[in-house]
Amino acid sequence: MINRRKSKQIQIGNIKIGGDAPISVQSMCNTDTRDVGKTLEQIMELASAGCEIARLAVLNKDAASAIKDIVAKSPIPLVADIHFDYRLALTCIENGIHALRINPGNIGKKEHTIKVVEMAKSHGIPIRIGINGGSLEKEFAEKDLPLHEKMVLSALRHLEILEDLNFYDTKISLKSSDVLTTVEAYKLIAQKVDYPLHLGITEAGTLKSGLIKSSVGLGILLNQGIGDTIRVSLTENPVEEVHAGYGILKSLGLRKKGINFISCPTCGRTQIDLIGLAKQVEEKFKNIDLPITIAVMGCPVNGPGEAKHADFGIAGAINEGYIFRKGEIIARVPEADLINSLEKIIMESYSSVK
């Protein structure tokens, strides 16, 4: 049982973050925010995959104007990602955005900061301070300190600006492309403040390398009870970020959304296309939101026994396979019919499966 760090709670739309709320899974659209149709289409895909909060890049006033139509039809809360131009933040708030990602120390004059903070406060809009190890302000980048300490100093400076304006509806992220730098930054900030923390490894890479880095970094932090919301950053369709996020949380017992999928690594006893079969099963059931474990095992000799904790599973044989439930074989099926047969058995057991 993981003892989570005690943090204050904020709310983005209908999603609570921090406190005793479940660790939420986020992603970011890679569409042009000015294209309302395409952006909404991707938001719908993300929501269907289980995404709970989506972030949108707001690069100019046209993108900020598009926020109004996007928010009106989005099924999940949205965060506007803004750099430097305070006017974009004001427009997004006016247009109904649910949260901002903006660093208050980087939007120019003090009066600009005050305008954004006051409007955010009056509309109940949280602000995320987002520190990136690769783009620190000069005053911190030049300090003779480890990078993670520089990142924390930067975060504390932005936090101080908000607190001086009596704004406390805040969450913090400290991301680096280096896993251990990121881990140390979050560990340090967790000791200094009680604000909720948004976890991520920035610029983690493509699907394979990004999953490895994110799983290691986020896994270390989450296992220590640090983290209130996460994004797995991947150079890939953002839907994959959502699946990866839940996968990490499920592996630590922190969320139970969706199936738990397991499969054996194959060996010389395998007489079936186990790799292809496992990929098909995982894809087939990835959007089913049931707290069940599905196993794909290589042989009927050890498979059902080794995966007897699984609710349902397939054990391969020669051109066929066995479907088992809780370790007991219940059907013998030709290889071509295995997935459909497994789905039918699960559907018969859980009428809510669609």
Side-chain angles (χ1 to χ4, degrees), residues 27-38:
S27 185
M28 184 172 183
C29 290
N30 58 15
T31 56
D32 185 337
T33 305
R34 293 171 296 184
D35 190 329
V36 173
K38 285 187 177 180

Side-chain angles (χ1 to χ4, degrees), residues 242-261:
V242 179
H243 293 310
Y246 280 111
I248 292 171
L249 293 174
K250 283 189 292 185
S251 70
L252 292 167
L254 292 167
R255 290 294 294 264
K256 294 183 178 180
K257 186 177 178 66
I259 67 164
N260 179 36
F261 178 77

Side-chain angles (χ1 to χ4, degrees), residues 19-317:
D20 59 357
I23 297 169
S24 56
V25 175
Q26 303 190 26
S27 185
M28 184 172 183
C29 290
N30 58 15
T31 56
D32 185 337
T33 305
R34 293 171 296 184
D35 190 329
V36 173
K38 285 187 177 180
T39 301
L40 277 170
E41 182 180 350
Q42 188 167 80
I43 290 171
M44 298 300 180
E45 292 174 358
L46 289 169
S48 294
C51 183
E52 292 165 307
I53 300 169
R55 185 156 49 108
L56 307 177
V58 181
L59 303 178
N60 52 41
K61 63 180 182 180
D62 291 333
S65 296
I67 290 294
K68 185 173 184 178
D69 291 332
I70 296 171
V71 167
K73 295 182 179 179
S74 174
I76 57 176
L78 303 176
V79 179
D81 190 285
I82 296 166
H83 294 270
F84 309 121
D85 192 340
Y86 80 101
R87 294 167 298 182
L88 299 180
L90 299 178
T91 301
C92 287
I93 295 173
E94 291 172 350
N95 287 337
I97 201 69
H98 301 98
L100 297 175
R101 189 277 195 185
I102 187 169
N103 290 343
N106 294 343
I107 55 176
K109 299 177 181 179
K110 185 176 180 179
E111 55 261 38
H112 296 166
T113 303
I114 292 173
K115 286 182 179 179
V116 172
V117 172
E118 290 301 320
M119 184 175 281
K121 192 186 300 184
S122 66
H123 286 72
I125 303 298
I127 293 176
R128 174 181 143 201
I129 294 171
I131 305 303
N132 189 311
S135 56
L136 287 176
E137 302 93 328
K138 186 177 180 181
E139 62 181 290
F140 300 112
E142 293 180 345
K143 287 184 178 293
D144 185 20
L145 293 169
L147 178 55
H148 72 275
E149 292 186 21
K150 298 177 186 180
M151 293 168 64
V152 170
L153 287 175
S154 176
L156 293 175
R157 202 256 305 202
H158 291 293
L159 193 60
E160 183 180 17
I161 293 171
L162 294 179
E163 291 180 340
D164 285 346
L165 296 172
N166 296 312
F167 188 92
Y168 304 95
D169 198 8
T170 310
K171 64 175 178 174
I172 303 170
S173 67
L174 303 106
K175 299 181 180 181
S176 169
S177 58
D178 180 77
V179 172
L180 295 181
T181 296
T182 302
V183 168
E184 292 304 315
Y186 278 110
K187 287 169 62 177
L188 184 57
I189 198 76
Q191 298 169 11
K192 294 180 177 293
V193 301
D194 66 350
Y195 289 98
L197 300 177
H198 169 81
L199 301 189
I201 307 295
T202 194
E203 301 147 10
T206 55
L207 187 59
K208 289 183 179 179
S209 63
L211 275 175
I212 292 169
K213 290 180 181 178
S214 295
S215 297
V216 172
L218 272 59
I220 291 171
L221 291 165
L222 291 167
N223 191 53
Q224 294 181 20
I226 297 172
D228 302 286
T229 180
I230 67 171
R231 178 196 174 192
V232 179
S233 299
L234 299 172
T235 310
E236 182 56 78
N237 184 327
V239 169
E240 296 298 334
E241 298 185 350
V242 179
H243 293 310
Y246 280 111
I248 292 171
L249 293 174
K250 283 189 292 185
S251 70
L252 292 167
L254 292 167
R255 290 294 294 264
K256 294 183 178 180
K257 186 177 178 66
I259 67 164
N260 179 36
F261 178 77
I262 62 174
S263 61
C264 74
T266 80
C267 69
R269 290 190 297 271
T270 304
Q271 301 292 316
I272 198 170
D273 178 16
L274 182 66
I275 295 174
L277 181 64
K279 289 180 178 178
Q280 291 178 60
V281 171
E282 187 173 30
E283 179 68 22
K284 180 77 173 179
F285 296 102
K286 69 180 182 180
N287 287 330
I288 292 180
D289 188 13
L290 286 173
I292 61 175
T293 296
I294 298 177
V296 177
M297 309 298 287
C299 69
V301 177
N302 296 324
E306 291 178 356
K308 63 183 178 182
H309 61 285
D311 298 284
F312 302 93
I314 293 174

Side-chain angles (χ1 to χ4, degrees), residues 1-29:
M1 184 71 177
I2 295 173
N3 293 317
R4 288 178 58 191
R5 160 184 170 266
K6 302 297 182 183
S7 66
K8 65 178 296 185
Q9 189 172 88
I10 67 170
Q11 188 160 328
I12 297 179
N14 63 342
I15 302 296
K16 294 180 179 179
I17 297 173
D20 59 357
I23 297 169
S24 56
V25 175
Q26 303 190 26
S27 185
M28 184 172 183
C29 290

